[in-house]
Amino acid sequence: MKWFESWFNSKYYHILYQKRDHSEAALFIDNILKTFQPGKNTKFLDLGCGSGRHSIYLNQKGFHVDGFDLSKKSLEEAKKKENNKLKFYQKDMRNFTVNKKYDFVLNLFTSFGYFENDSDNKNVFKNISKSLKTNGYCIIDFFNTEKVVNQIQKNEIKKINNIIFNIHKTYDENFIYKKISITDKKNKYNFTEKVRLINKQKFINYASGLNMDLEFSFGDYNLAKYNTELSDRLILIFKKTA
Ligand SMILES: C[S@@+](CC[C@H](N)C(=O)[O-])C[C@H]1O[C@@H](n2cnc3c(N)ncnc32)[C@H](O)[C@@H]1O
């Protein structure tokens, strides 16, 4: 099993990130909706949807949303909120096909860059391009590699529900690693998140040759302009041209 298959599906991932911010997701989606003013029949695909915090909010705003994720555990949670305009499916972003085209494909909160082989990242972009209508948008929300590396906080300890999470971060020229050592009563577990360090130019390279032009680069959920050194996020919006 790859790390992203076991970790995102483990109960400890859900405990560590249980306070994941729903108001932050709502703020981001509100700002996207203000910017693009999509009509009521707009169809969204949330790729790497997790438990569906963005999908559910978009659906509450009246839109059609499909969410794809690998993690059964996250999907079980998301599926509780399904309705005729909100559906969740277990699919792998590296090799999925769709039977309809979307106005927006979202990949939010660093749901990218997990794969050992860089060609899989290109495959994700190919699948996104195939899933988009002409003039549709792909929204990628990733961490800002430059800032994360410059300001890396190497060690952190968190205690949640009497479980101790010891987190140690390092990086090399290709990846950032987050080693998570867990002590739960007498049991110990280890997981390592491994995410590729992808900058703006690299994302543009993934999109090249796929009829996807970069239209906007934002640096946070308020959609402030992206700044390489200062921004917390790297939010890139590509438009499908043909
Ligand atoms: C950091 S979480 C973000 C989840 C969600 N977007 C959010 O903001 O709450 C990344 C998600 O990507 C999913 N994921 C990882 N690899 C995947 C793959 N190959 N195909 C589909 N989803 C994947 C994980 O299961 C996890 O739910």
Side-chain angles (χ1 to χ4, degrees), residues 220-233:
D220 62 28
Y221 296 134
N222 284 309
L223 307 189
K225 204 165 166 253
Y226 173 68
N227 177 298
T228 313
E229 281 138 48
L230 301 178
S231 295
D232 288 323
R233 306 298 298 168

Side-chain angles (χ1 to χ4, degrees), residues 4 8 13 20 46 48-50 53-54 68-71 74 91-94 108-111 114-115:
F4 50 88
F8 290 121
Y13 166 75
R20 184 153 286 170
D46 186 2
C49 61
R53 59 185 175 139
H54 300 94
F68 294 175
D69 203 283
L70 260 192
S71 160
S74 299
K91 297 210 189 208
D92 190 325
M93 66 176 87
R94 289 169 294 179
L108 306 181
F109 204 64
T110 318
S111 298
Y114 301 151
F115 317 120

